[in-house]
Amino acid sequence: MNLRFWQSWSIGTRMAFITMLPVVFLFSSFVGYSWYSHRAQVALELEERGRILAKALAETSEYNVISGNLSDLRLTINGLVQSDKSIHRIEVVDANQKGAISVVSQGSAIGEDRFYEAPIKKQMIWINLFSDNGVPHVSGSSDTKPTTVPTEVVGYVRVTMSPTNMLHKQARRFQVELAMAALALVVSGALAYVLARSLTIPLKSSIGALREIRGGNYQVALPVTTGGEVGELQESITEMSVALGRSRQDLENKVAERTKDLVESRNEALKADADKRKLIQKVNSIVEDERKSIAIEIHDELNASLIAARLESQSILHLAGKVEQGPMIDEIKQKSQAITKLTLDLYASGRRLVRRLRPEVLDMLGLHGAVEEMIRHYDTSHPECHFQFHSDGDFSGLESELAISAYRIVQEALSNVLKHAGATHAQVAMTLSEQDDTLHIEIADDGAGFSTASASSGIGIIGMRERVYALGGTIDFSSEPDKGTVIGIALPIAQIA
C-alpha cells in the first residue's frame, strides 16, 4: 500500500487536508458517540421506568386480584397506558400464569422483546386489640406500625415498554446536535479553505515570478504580501531576480569579450592552419624517413650480426661433435643449439619489425600491392575475421608520401578492427578518381560499432585524422552500436604532386 499518495497534491490541498483531518475525525467521533449515548439513554430509561411501573402496580393491585374486582384495575391500567406513550402493554396474570388483564397501547408502534415483571403478593397484617396488661384499646394512636407477614404470590404484573416515542424524541435531539456539528464542520472547512488560500495565493505569485525569471525576465518586482517564511520567500525571490540580472549583465559582457578574443584566435588559427598542415606533413615525412633508416640499420646490421652469431653457434656445435664426448660437451651442444634457436627467433622478430617500420612491399609493389599483401596477411593470420580488398584505378603514379600515409591509415584502421570491433567480416575499398584527382578509401566492418556522439577518440583515430588533415583530405566515421563501422577517407592527389 502506497502511503505517500499526497505527494502529488498541491500545497493548498495538503493544507486543507491537514486542517480538516482532525476536524472530520472529531465530527465522526462526536456523531457516533451522540447516537450511541441517545440510544443507551433510551434503553436505561425504559428499563428503569418499566421496573418501577411493574413494582408499583404489583403493590397496588393486591386487593383487586384477591377479591376478583378487576374492573377498577383495568381502568387504572388503561389510564396509565393512554397517558404514557412509552408503555406498549401491561398484563396481569394470576399465580397459574393465566391472563387476567391485558391492555395494549394504540399509539406505540413497536414493543420491546422483553417485559418487566413484578410479583403480586398476598400479605397478612396482624392487629393487636389489647394492651400489654390485657385491657382492650379504646382510643389513641400506636407508635408502632402493624406487623405484615408476606405469604404466597397471587399473581404477576408484566410491563412491556415501547422505545418508539423516546427514540423519536432522542432522534430529534440527535438531529439538532448533528446539525450543529455539521455547521461546525462547514465553518471549519471554510476556515481551512481561507487558510489554504492565504498560503497558496502568495506561493502561486512566487511560482509565477520564478517562471518569469526562468524565462529570462530578471526585472521581477514581487511584492511581499504576507509574513513568515512565505514572506521571506517573496523577498528572497525579488533579491534573487536583481542579483541574477546583474550576473547576467556581467556574464554577457564577459561573453562578448571572450567572443571577441575567440574570433581573433580563430582568425589566427585559420592563418596558421596551412602552416600546421605543412608542419604535420613534414613531421610525418621525417618519421617515415627515420623509420626507413632504422629499418635499414636493423636489416643490414642487426640481422647480419644475428646471421653471423647463428653461424658461429653452428660452428661450435660442429666442433663439439669432433672432440671426445662427455657431460661438458653435451652441455656445450645444448647451449649452441639454444643460441641458434634464439638467433633465428631474433632474426624473425627483426624481419617483422622491419616490415612494420618500412614495408618492403610498398617500395616493390606500390600502394596497391602493399595493401593487398597486408590484407592477405590479416586474413590468413586471423581466421576469426574474413578480410576482403577491392580496388579501382592506377596507383603506380602516386607520390611516395601519399602512398605511405594511405598505407598507414589502412593499417591503423584494420588494427582497430582486430582490437576493438570483434567483427567477422571487414572490407577495404580503394579508388583513385581521375575526375577530382582524389584517392578514396573506405574501410567497413560488421563489428560492435560505437556511438559517434558520445565515444571519445583514441590515439589511433587521432593519428588517422592528423595524417588525413596533413594531406588536406577529409575523414568521416559512420557507426552505431552493434551495427558496425564505416570509415570514409578522401585524399587529394593535387596536394602532394
Side-chain angles (χ1 to χ4, degrees), residues 105-164:
S105 173
Q106 300 298 323
S108 59
I110 301 174
E112 287 187 320
D113 295 333
R114 60 177 178 171
F115 55 83
Y116 305 98
E117 185 180 78
I120 304 173
K121 297 179 180 180
K122 180 181 180 182
Q123 297 181 358
M124 296 181 64
I125 301 176
W126 295 87
I127 302 175
N128 188 3
L129 301 178
F130 298 90
S131 63
D132 295 336
N133 54 9
V135 179
H137 291 290
V138 179
S139 64
S141 61
S142 175
D143 295 333
T144 59
K145 295 182 179 179
T147 304
T148 59
V149 179
T151 58
E152 79 272 17
V153 176
V154 296
Y156 297 91
V157 176
R158 295 174 180 174
V159 178
T160 303
M161 304 299 292
S162 173
T164 304

Side-chain angles (χ1 to χ4, degrees), residues 80-356:
L80 286 174
V81 171
Q82 293 177 4
S83 62
D84 193 345
K85 301 296 184 181
S86 62
I87 301 174
H88 177 67
R89 177 187 292 112
I90 296 179
E91 295 176 298
V92 178
V93 297
D94 57 16
N96 297 323
Q97 302 293 328
K98 183 179 180 181
I101 300 175
S102 178
V103 178
V104 180
S105 173
Q106 300 298 323
S108 59
I110 301 174
E112 287 187 320
D113 295 333
R114 60 177 178 171
F115 55 83
Y116 305 98
E117 185 180 78
I120 304 173
K121 297 179 180 180
K122 180 181 180 182
Q123 297 181 358
M124 296 181 64
I125 301 176
W126 295 87
I127 302 175
N128 188 3
L129 301 178
F130 298 90
S131 63
D132 295 336
N133 54 9
V135 179
H137 291 290
V138 179
S139 64
S141 61
S142 175
D143 295 333
T144 59
K145 295 182 179 179
T147 304
T148 59
V149 179
T151 58
E152 79 272 17
V153 176
V154 296
Y156 297 91
V157 176
R158 295 174 180 174
V159 178
T160 303
M161 304 299 292
S162 173
T164 304
N165 188 46
M166 287 189 178
L167 286 176
H168 285 319
K169 292 181 180 179
Q170 295 296 336
R172 286 192 293 271
R173 294 178 184 176
F174 175 74
Q175 290 173 359
V176 174
E177 294 174 357
L178 181 62
M180 295 179 64
L183 179 61
L185 182 64
V186 172
V187 172
S188 299
L191 290 175
Y193 176 77
V194 172
L195 290 174
R197 289 280 295 175
S198 65
L199 181 63
T200 56
I201 290 177
L203 282 178
K204 286 182 179 179
S205 62
S206 301
I207 293 172
L210 289 174
R211 287 177 177 171
E212 290 186 12
I213 294 173
R214 183 182 63 182
N217 181 19
Y218 300 116
Q219 304 299 324
V220 177
L222 182 63
V224 179
T225 58
T226 184
E229 290 81 355
V230 179
E232 293 179 1
L233 175 64
Q234 293 176 334
E235 185 176 357
S236 299
I237 290 174
T238 302
E239 295 174 355
M240 181 183 67
S241 66
V242 174
L244 286 175
R246 294 175 182 174
S247 299
R248 178 183 180 181
Q249 187 62 40
D250 295 340
L251 183 61
E252 288 178 352
N253 295 334
K254 292 180 181 179
V255 169
E257 294 176 2
R258 184 59 179 165
T259 302
K260 182 179 178 181
D261 295 338
L262 289 175
V263 170
E264 293 176 358
S265 300
R266 185 197 62 181
N267 294 335
E268 294 176 359
L270 291 175
K271 292 179 182 179
D273 186 58
D275 296 334
K276 178 184 175 183
R277 289 186 178 181
K278 291 180 180 179
L279 178 61
I280 294 174
Q281 184 177 347
K282 184 66 176 177
V283 170
N284 289 336
S285 178
I286 294 172
V287 169
E288 292 296 336
D289 292 339
E290 187 64 22
R291 284 182 174 180
K292 183 177 181 181
S293 176
I294 295 173
I296 292 174
E297 289 183 6
I298 293 174
H299 184 273
D300 295 342
E301 296 181 11
L302 179 60
N303 287 353
S305 299
L306 290 173
I307 292 173
R310 180 171 60 85
L311 293 175
E312 291 294 334
S313 175
Q314 291 176 349
S315 298
I316 293 172
L317 180 63
H318 180 70
L319 292 174
K322 294 180 178 181
V323 300
E324 184 179 353
Q325 301 298 311
M328 295 296 294
I329 298 301
D330 293 338
E331 186 177 356
I332 290 173
K333 289 181 179 181
Q334 292 177 0
K335 296 294 184 182
S336 176
Q337 291 174 355
I339 292 172
T340 302
K341 184 179 182 303
L342 181 61
T343 53
L344 288 175
D345 292 341
L346 290 174
Y347 183 79
S349 298
R351 292 289 297 172
R352 289 193 298 270
L353 184 59
V354 167
R355 291 192 188 97
R356 291 183 61 187

